[in-house]
């Protein structure tokens, strides 16, 4: 790891130029909790590390248009201390705060969790369920991409080598709506999801579901939006028939591998159970 | 240009050292500043032996680059005692025999300090979750948790809230 340059640009434009100048030998860093582990293990060998945390807009949370703009490099601990964000999107925050230990929370960001592109990234199914959109900047200007379109394979994203994920836009929250995230690990802390499921729901005044989104993790090469699972809830009062449809839709979307952490069959079963439970938690939160 | 001069405050003292993008803050503390209290157990964020407090936040010094320390306020185990007066956490770790080999102890003390700085009256469950990123292969954790609970009580008595 010797001979690596460290840059801390003050603007997105400077960071983009530094990325271009390095021609593929640079890596962006937010909290570094994935990148520095990979550098140490020899899996990442950048000549330049570009620290994003010094760029205004990459760190911090602000209100905009009734929703939130969350800087891509904001650490999990800061997200968890933001009462308004936590009240609006408890599922995203519980997912973000599951990442690693207290120490890791002091550094780990949503942008890093998404762009590291692990299918088991905890915050990503919750961000997908919440309908969050990525604000991206590159040499060609700005563009937007829904979170579910970012991961394209293990370790791969839809971002070009000279593009930067600047922030996440959380939509304005509808009345009587909420979200939840659940993950399965063999212990309660410090482990990688065997399965993760995030659900967001909106209800009408009589408790009927008017909109729902379901995101799942660790059951395919990327995290997934399962549109059919959300659709299964719409128009229902979360009765057993609707929940059974949701479970079937989730199971149908799963394409997991079998490994030491769980067989494909087990992961598929657990994904549908977690999605059902998360849907009921989101419903209870929405009607509270 | 891969190493540059980094200026930071460590345990209240201004310091300067050479740091590069290939060097962790832990390496800089141990090798450049000769503060060898912070330990490297894993180098990958899993064990917490390298825990330090940066601008009030607990982090793994092994997962932060040395040049990131520029302008930051860093607290390490070397600054925990007040001269020869042990911090209540250190005192209670000794009282409870909450250490054997001691390798995990600097990290556990700094993690516990970060907890008590923000939550002077934690429940046992809060202590256990907060310290989940600090591995100890000797004690079985129970004595550590008891020491932290008692140190919290000591600190509350020192400055009533
Ligand atoms: C001990 C430990 C426990 C962990 N536990 C969990 C866990 O329980 N669940 C989990 O999901 N993960 C876990 N992780 C993995 C990691 O902490 C998370 O993925 C974290 O969210 C990464 O964020 P970061 O800011 O540290 O990313 P970094 O390491 O800074 O970056 C990760 C990747 O994303 C790229 N990147 C970062 N920011 C941007 C951006 N704004 N635009 C474009 N590209 C960018 C980087 O170039 C790099 O490739 C753990 C890691 C450790 C060390
Ligand atoms: S040495 Fe840093 S966490 Fe183990
Ligand atoms: S006392 Fe030996 S590892 Fe904790």
């Amino acid at each position: 790891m010797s001979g690596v340059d460290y840059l801390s640009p003050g603007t997105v434009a400077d960071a983009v130029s530094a990325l271009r100048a390095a021609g593929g030998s640079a890596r962006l860093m937010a909290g570094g909790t994935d990148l520095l582990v990979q550098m140490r293990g020899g899996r990442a060998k950048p000549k330049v590390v570009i620290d994003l945390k010094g760029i205004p807009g990459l760190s911090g949370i602000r209100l905009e248009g009734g929703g939130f703009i969350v800087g891509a490099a904001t650490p999990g601990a800061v997200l968890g201390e933001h009462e308004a964000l936590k009240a609006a999107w408890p599922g995203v925050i519980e997912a973000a705060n599951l990442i690693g230990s207290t120490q890791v929370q002091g550094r780990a960001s949503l942008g890093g969790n998404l762009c590291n592109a692990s299918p088991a990234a905890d915050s990503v199914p919750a961000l997908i369920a919440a309908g969050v959109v990525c604000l991206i900047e590159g040499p060609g200007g700005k563009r937007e991409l829904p979170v579910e379109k970012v991961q394209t394979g293990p370790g791969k994203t839809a971002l070009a080598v000279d593009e930067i994920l600047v922030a996440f836009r959380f939509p304005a929250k509808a009345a009587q709506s909420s979200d939840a995230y659940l993950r399965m690990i063999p212990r309660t802390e410090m482990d990688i999801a065997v399965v993760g499921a995030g659900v967001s729901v909106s209800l009408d005044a009589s408790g009927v579901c008017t909109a729902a989104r379901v995101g799942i993790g660790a059951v395919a090469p990327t995290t997934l939006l399962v549109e059919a699972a959300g659709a299964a809830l719409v128009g229902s009062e979360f009765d057993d028939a609707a929940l059974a449809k949701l479970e079937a839709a989730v199971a149908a979307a799963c394409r997991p591998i079998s490994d030491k952490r769980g067989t494909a069959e087990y992961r598929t079963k657990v994904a549908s159970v977690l999605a059902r439970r998360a849907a009921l938690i989101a419903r209870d939160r929405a009607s509270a | 240009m891969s190493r540059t001069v980094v200026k930071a405050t460590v345990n209240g003292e201004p310091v300067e050292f050479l740091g590069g993008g290939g060097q962790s803050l832990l390496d800089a503390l141990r090798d450049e500043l000769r503060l060898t209290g912070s330990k490297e157990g894993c180098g990958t964020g899993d064990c917490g032996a390298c825990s330090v407090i940066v601008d009030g936040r607990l982090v793994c010094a092994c997962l932060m680059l040395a040049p990131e320390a520029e302008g930051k306020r860093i607290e390490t185990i070397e600054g925990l005692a007040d001269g020869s007066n042990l911090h209540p956490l250190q005192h209670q770790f000794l009282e409870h025999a909450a250490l054997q080999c001691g390798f995990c102890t600097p990290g556990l003390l700094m993690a516990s300090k970060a907890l008590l700085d923000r939550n002077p009256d934690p429940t046992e469950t809060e202590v256990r979750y907060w310290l989940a990123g600090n591995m100890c292969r000797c004690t079985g954790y129970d004595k550590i948790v008891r020491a932290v609970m008692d140190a919290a009580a000591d600190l509350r008595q020192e400055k009533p809230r």
Side-chain angles (χ1 to χ4, degrees), chain A residues 27-28 30-35 52 100 109 112-113 122 165 183 191, chain B residues 45:
Chain A
R27 287 292 289 272
L28 298 171
T33 60
D34 280 314
L35 180 65
L52 298 170
S109 67
N113 200 221
D122 275 307
L165 168 55
R183 82 168 168 190
D191 207 344

Side-chain angles (χ1 to χ4, degrees), chain A residues 182-268:
Chain A
L182 292 173
R183 82 168 168 190
M184 165 65 207
I185 56 172
R187 52 208 289 247
T188 58
E189 283 282 285
M190 297 290 283
D191 207 344
I192 299 166
V194 177
V195 176
V199 179
S200 79
V201 301
S202 301
L203 314 177
D204 69 12
S206 56
V208 173
C209 179
T210 55
R213 285 170 66 92
V214 176
I216 51 176
V219 287
T222 66
T223 48
L224 295 175
L225 169 68
V226 191
E227 281 173 279
L233 293 177
V234 174
S236 83
E237 289 184 66
F238 299 83
D239 51 279
D240 281 341
L243 291 166
K245 269 212 278 178
L246 166 135
E247 287 200 358
V250 167
C254 291
R255 284 172 282 124
I257 53 166
S258 290
D259 66 8
K260 61 178 181 198
R261 311 174 50 72
T263 61
E265 199 184 1
Y266 174 75
R267 285 189 148 115
T268 303

